[in-house]
Amino acid sequence: DENALMELLNFIYSGKLTTAEPSLLLDILMAADKFEVVSCMRHCCQLLTSLPWTTESALLCLDHPCTMSMAAEVQLLISAAKDFLVNKYKDYNNLRKEVTNISLAGIKAILSSTDIHVECEDYLFLLLLNWARVRYPDLEERREILNSHLLPLLRFSHMTYKTLQEILACTANDIDHEQVTKCINGVLLCKAYPAHKPGALAACAPSCQQFAERDYKYRHLKVVAFDQPCPQVIAYMDLKHEECSQLFPSGKIFSHPFHVAGQGFILGARCCKADQGESYSFGLLLYIDLELKGSTCVTVDYEFAARTRPSRQFVSKLNGRHTFSDKFPVGSRYLFWVPWQTFMADDSIFIDGVLHLRVDLTVVEQTELQT
């Protein structure tokens, strides 16, 4: 480009550039790369990094061809552009509104992050599918983009059972069903046989990234279920210290539904304010799926427990019997019976920075509500 070449010549003789426009700076960077004017490359990168980032300038950096992509200065510039996009679009709603204006390189940078705040991974699968169908109308090109670039960025291990079923049953031509089926099989093997997870990962998953958890609104639980001698389920929820800190003063974290005896239950962790005064505490509540419950009264025996030091064993914090006849949950708004600040500072509760919770639920009886 003539303008870029003239700016490069001017820099060689004066050590200065006359522009601060991102697209022209990138053209100058490419010219400096071509002619190996390292000092100009460094100067362009410093200018670009110091400018206020916009989506357009970040995408220009990621999409711009540069043969010396391994140069340290260029890598810092690319990293800064990726960080900007990740921070701007870490809220799924922001990403959904502007996704059609984002290039492939931008989408890959955003979806490589674990910081995206989204209800569940299912939403990102549908988003990528729709994005590819809008941006790449040609079937063969879209199939290549989806299967080589985008599907490996999805965390299939954190998708819901329903969506995994739909993906396996999908007959769309733009998805490589053999590749997706292999990936989902690997995920299911790892969940079924966690003790063999490293071997299964190496054999069935292209990257450990497949198993990295994002900032989900609804959390997956580790669940053990029994049919005999009575319907019982034991569910485990792990919360990081920083996740708990973000609950203050009125935040909530809900689990995906887990099922036993035909009923669905949801575990909810929250920061609860005392009925009187200004004190707060950690609460854990169990909800029932009203749609599945219908007109049935469901009686359960329950126990809430937390792993504590020094034994690192689960210690019961609350237990009893409860009948779900309406929408109201069962549990405790004061699970540890200490103020919020004391709870957050307690190393005997947060083991290596993680709060380990367990709910043991047994369905005792199900009867129809009397009208």
Side-chain angles (χ1 to χ4, degrees):
D1 179 74
E2 180 183 353
N3 291 334
L5 183 58
M6 294 306 294
E7 285 282 352
L8 177 60
L9 288 172
N10 181 63
F11 180 87
I12 290 173
Y13 283 96
S14 69
K16 299 178 182 179
L17 296 174
T18 63
T19 182
E21 203 278 315
S23 61
L24 181 52
L25 284 173
L26 284 166
D27 288 338
I28 299 168
L29 175 62
M30 188 169 66
D33 180 22
K34 180 178 178 66
F35 294 106
E36 300 182 11
V37 187
V38 177
S39 60
C40 187
M41 289 181 64
R42 185 178 295 112
H43 187 61
C44 287
C45 290
Q46 290 171 348
L47 286 175
L48 285 165
T49 305
S50 66
L51 292 173
W53 285 103
T54 65
T55 301
E56 292 72 24
S57 63
L59 292 176
L60 278 173
C61 285
L62 295 184
D63 293 332
H64 216 70
C66 188
T67 57
M68 284 190 63
S69 59
M70 297 308 293
E73 291 81 4
V74 177
Q75 282 301 307
L76 287 174
L77 179 65
I78 291 173
S79 295
K82 289 180 177 180
D83 289 344
F84 170 80
L85 291 173
V86 167
N87 287 325
K88 180 173 181 179
Y89 295 109
K90 63 183 177 181
D91 187 308
Y92 168 79
N93 291 321
N94 293 338
L95 176 62
R96 178 177 56 83
K97 292 174 184 175
E98 301 182 28
V99 67
T100 53
N101 299 322
I102 301 176
S103 65
L104 175 62
I107 287 291
K108 290 176 67 175
I110 295 166
L111 267 293
S112 296
S113 169
T114 58
D115 295 332
I116 300 176
H117 182 64
V118 62
E119 291 195 3
C120 61
E121 192 74 13
D122 307 14
Y123 285 61
L124 294 177
F125 170 75
L126 295 174
L127 184 79
L128 287 185
L129 202 58
N130 292 332
W131 176 88
R133 288 170 177 172
V134 170
R135 298 274 301 200
Y136 298 93
D138 179 73
L139 175 61
E140 289 304 317
E141 186 180 18
R142 182 169 70 248
R143 184 180 173 89
E144 170 66 20
I145 292 295
L146 274 171
N147 297 300
S148 298
H149 296 277
L150 299 182
L151 292 183
L153 298 177
L154 291 170
R155 278 65 161 160
F156 287 96
S157 60
H158 299 290
M159 287 186 180
T160 62
Y161 172 77
K162 179 181 178 182
T163 296
L164 289 177
Q165 269 192 320
E166 292 174 352
I167 294 174
L168 291 173
C170 177
T171 58
N173 293 329
D174 46 10
I175 295 178
D176 185 334
H177 295 282
E178 182 178 351
Q179 175 188 342
V180 171
T181 300
K182 181 179 179 181
C183 186
I184 293 176
N185 285 342
V187 166
L188 297 178
L189 279 172
C190 288
K191 287 190 173 184
Y193 301 100
H196 301 279
K197 190 172 182 179
L201 274 170
C204 305
S207 167
C208 291
Q209 191 178 47
Q210 294 272 354
F211 297 83
E213 188 171 358
R214 302 190 201 271
D215 184 14
Y216 298 116
K217 181 178 179 181
Y218 297 110
R219 306 295 299 272
H220 281 275
L221 303 178
K222 297 175 183 177
V223 176
V224 181
F226 303 92
D227 293 325
Q228 299 294 333
C230 54
Q232 180 185 7
V233 64
I234 303 173
Y236 299 86
M237 175 187 273
D238 293 343
L239 298 176
K240 298 176 183 176
H241 189 275
E242 53 267 32
E243 291 174 323
C244 290
S245 67
Q246 292 169 6
L247 293 176
F248 186 85
S250 58
K252 302 174 184 177
I253 294 178
F254 292 103
S255 73
H256 276 289
F258 57 98
H259 299 86
V260 60
Q263 299 293 336
F265 298 90
I266 296 172
L267 197 59
R270 60 186 299 181
C271 178
C272 301
K273 186 177 181 181
D275 295 331
Q276 297 178 349
E278 295 298 322
S279 64
Y280 294 83
S281 62
F282 179 84
L284 190 63
L285 300 171
L286 182 69
Y287 302 80
I288 193 167
D289 186 322
L290 295 176
E291 186 174 339
L292 287 177
K293 186 182 83 66
S295 60
T296 307
C297 276
V298 183
T299 301
V300 300
D301 286 338
Y302 64 89
E303 180 190 52
F304 292 168
R307 198 187 295 273
T308 61
R309 295 182 194 270
S311 68
R312 294 178 177 253
Q313 301 298 313
F314 280 100
V315 176
S316 178
K317 297 295 179 181
L318 179 71
N319 61 76
R321 176 168 292 191
H322 178 77
T323 298
F324 288 99
S325 58
D326 48 35
K327 65 179 181 180
F328 295 106
V330 63
S332 173
R333 300 174 67 207
Y334 313 96
L335 188 68
F336 296 99
W337 287 102
V338 294
W340 183 263
Q341 291 80 1
T342 305
F343 160 72
M344 290 300 300
D346 193 340
D347 289 338
S348 69
I349 296 174
F350 289 95
I351 300 176
D352 299 325
V354 178
L355 173 64
H356 301 275
L357 301 169
R358 184 188 72 189
V359 58
D360 189 335
L361 191 66
T362 302
V363 176
V364 177
E365 186 179 23
Q366 300 189 63
T367 58
E368 287 296 319
L369 282 169
Q370 298 297 318
T371 58

